[in-house]
Structure formats: structure tokens, C-alpha cells
Amino acid sequence: MEHNRNPRLQIGDWCVDPTLSEISRDGTTTRLETRTMRLLLALADRPGEVLSIDDLLTQVWPGIAVSPDSVYQAITSLRRILGDDPKQPTHIVTVPRLGYRLIAPVTPVADRPTDPATSPHPPLLRPHAVGLQLTILLICLALAAAFLVRAHFASQHPPAPIAATPSQKSIAVLPFLDLTEGMHQGEFADGLTEELTDKLSKLPGFRVPSPTSTFYYRDKNLPVADIAKALGVAYILDGSVRKSGDQVRVAARLVRANTGYVLWSETYDRPFHDLVMVQDDIATQVTKALSASTEFKSP
């Protein structure tokens, strides 16, 4: 499908504008990152067809050496933006061991003619009609702006740095990556992130940013030091999950932000029902690692 003549597309119930890198539905507009838009357009170019991981790597990350995990993460992010459930998809289907397929209908969005009649000029509007339309338009714009600011503040705007010199008792838990084949464990990975944030925030004297702040940095290719500076923390905890059958692998690491040194790391291979114990163990080991740090003990 070609996008050159008319770049706007209708993908399912979303109107896609590649020129502005935006998608909109029901009066709500969301801006996509460049590579997220490339991924959506790559799938829309061949609706109904299976695109392999290699196909998507070539089209979305041309000339850049990245791993298949980048595709998994990008698909998960795009699904979340589209409101697509990977278990009951209406937009993107995972084809095990083959790739991904866009199942939502794709149609070009034609520009509306200025006059549906034969005249090439639009009909003149009476002054009072023009004023009424402008009033309605301004009200709609104001409501839409208020809604967007409230609904998308966390995902569209990074939190402001809290302090120039962060407290040594400060740590942020970044969203754990879902590395499961097909990335069907996104909700579990998010839940693990939130649980660890909650556990660490209960430690006396610790300052821990909420998931609302840290989830902004999901899929952001930024240095740990930059993320920590923006969040105003001295330490970063991140990791990944990978589920296979009844087993799950959880990898976690604690990083000193200003040096990039890894203070602690561990990989857990446990039955899925032991995840609560894994969460407790990670929180305990992170606390011990922080307590053992000489910089942490400094006043």
C-alpha cells in the first residue's frame, strides 16, 4: 500500500498521520516516536501479511545493529498505545516463531472536498453562523486540551529533576522488560516493577519515584545517568522477565547512576508461583547492596 499520495491512513478505528507522527481516535490525539510510527507503517504496508523480525529490523532500524528484543519492546509499546490486547488482538497478531501481522483494516484517508456540489468554491456562511462555529470549535479545543494534559501527562512529558544533587537514599525502579517470546507478559513485567517500587518505598528514609514517573522512560534509549538525573535519584534498579511454560526467569541489577557501576545483579529461575518470593529477595538484596556502599554511608 502506498502512502506517498495521501500520507494519512485509517488503521482500524485509528486515524494515522505519518507527517505529524500522530494517531487519533474519538477526539484524542497521541504523538508517536519516530520508530514507533515506522513500525506501524511497516505493518500497514502489508496488512494481513506476516512480517518477520528481520523484516521489521530492516525497515524500522535501517543501518542500526539492534537485537530482536528491540522489536519485542516496540511491538509491546505500540500495542499499549493502540489499546490492543495481545490475548484478544484487534490490531496486531503475534505469529509464533514467524513474526507479526496487522489484522486491522487499512484504508487511505481521502481529503474532504471543499464543496460536495459542482461548484469549486465553498458556500458562504452567514456571520452569525461563523461566530457560532468558532465558539463551538474553541470549546472543543479547550476540552480536548484539558483531557490530553490530564490523560497523557505522564507519557508525554518527562518528570522535572527534583534535586541537582540527589540524596544517596534515592532509587528509581525502571520498567522491567518483557523478553518472553511474543511479549505476552507485559502486564506481569509492569506488575513486578510496581511491586518492587512499593517495597523499596517502604524502607525508612528512602525516596522512590512512583511508576507514573518511571514508566515515561519505557523504551527510551537514554543513558542511565540521564534518566537518574531527570528523576533526581542516585541509583537505578532495572531488569527483565522471560516466561517459559511454568518457569520464569527474572534478571535484575542495581546501578550507581553517576558512575554506571553495577553494584548488584542476580538472575532468578523459579516456578511462576514463587514470584512473590523473588520480589522479596530482590528488595532485600538491593537494600543490602545499598547499605554496603561506602557512598551510601557518607553523610
Side-chain angles (χ1 to χ4, degrees):
M1 178 175 295
E2 296 188 9
H3 306 301
N4 294 332
R5 295 181 179 178
N6 192 335
R8 292 191 301 157
L9 297 171
Q10 186 74 32
I11 301 179
D13 50 2
W14 287 95
C15 181
V16 179
D17 191 334
T19 303
L20 299 178
S21 196
E22 293 179 345
I23 62 174
S24 58
R25 178 179 66 177
D26 298 332
T28 299
T29 300
T30 301
R31 185 171 182 80
L32 301 185
E33 294 182 350
T34 301
R35 286 198 170 88
T36 304
M37 178 59 76
R38 284 184 189 172
L39 175 62
L40 180 58
L41 294 179
L43 293 168
D45 272 329
R46 294 161 58 184
E49 298 182 28
V50 177
L51 273 71
S52 68
I53 300 297
D54 288 340
D55 289 336
L56 294 174
L57 285 173
T58 300
Q59 296 184 51
V60 182
W61 291 268
I64 302 176
V66 295
S67 70
D69 288 345
S70 296
V71 177
Y72 304 150
Q73 296 171 25
I75 288 287
T76 296
S77 177
L78 180 57
R79 278 175 167 157
R80 186 174 291 109
I81 293 171
L82 296 176
D84 200 23
D85 183 355
K87 296 181 180 179
Q88 296 180 331
T90 57
H91 291 79
I92 302 172
V93 169
T94 300
V95 183
R97 295 181 295 278
L98 293 180
Y100 300 93
R101 180 165 61 95
L102 184 69
I103 59 173
V106 180
T107 55
V109 177
D111 292 329
R112 295 182 179 179
T114 56
D115 188 355
T118 57
S119 172
H121 302 288
L124 296 177
L125 297 176
R126 295 180 179 178
H128 72 275
V130 174
L132 178 60
Q133 288 187 353
L134 288 175
T135 301
I136 294 175
L137 177 60
L138 291 174
I139 292 174
C140 291
L141 288 175
L143 292 174
F147 177 81
L148 288 174
V149 169
R150 180 181 179 85
H152 298 288
F153 178 80
S155 62
Q156 298 296 323
H157 301 280
I162 298 176
T165 303
S167 166
Q168 297 305 307
K169 287 190 176 183
S170 58
I171 181 172
V173 183
L174 297 186
F176 274 50
L177 302 178
D178 175 19
L179 302 184
T180 305
E181 182 178 359
M183 300 191 72
H184 295 309
Q185 299 299 319
E187 293 184 2
F188 163 65
D190 290 349
L192 177 61
T193 304
E194 293 175 355
E195 288 295 329
L196 288 172
T197 300
D198 181 65
K199 289 180 181 298
L200 293 176
S201 67
K202 293 178 180 177
L203 296 175
F206 270 72
R207 189 177 62 76
V208 185
S210 70
T212 303
S213 299
T214 59
F215 273 43
Y216 169 81
Y217 295 97
R218 183 199 307 276
D219 303 329
K220 296 289 192 299
N221 187 21
L222 295 173
V224 168
D226 291 350
I227 297 176
K229 182 178 180 180
L231 293 172
V233 297
Y235 299 90
I236 291 290
L237 176 66
D238 62 8
S240 63
V241 299
R242 187 191 302 269
K243 186 174 182 294
S244 178
D246 294 331
Q247 294 291 118
V248 63
R249 168 172 290 187
V250 178
R253 66 171 186 170
L254 176 67
V255 179
R256 172 69 184 178
N258 65 347
T259 63
Y261 292 156
V262 177
L263 301 181
W264 168 85
S265 67
E266 188 61 78
T267 299
Y268 301 85
D269 289 298
R270 302 283 179 83
F272 195 77
H273 57 77
D274 284 348
L275 289 177
V276 174
M277 296 179 61
V278 173
Q279 295 170 6
D280 291 339
D281 192 53
I282 291 176
T284 299
Q285 295 302 321
V286 166
T287 303
K288 289 181 179 179
L290 290 174
S291 298
S293 171
T294 56
E295 293 182 357
F296 180 80
K297 293 179 180 179
S298 300

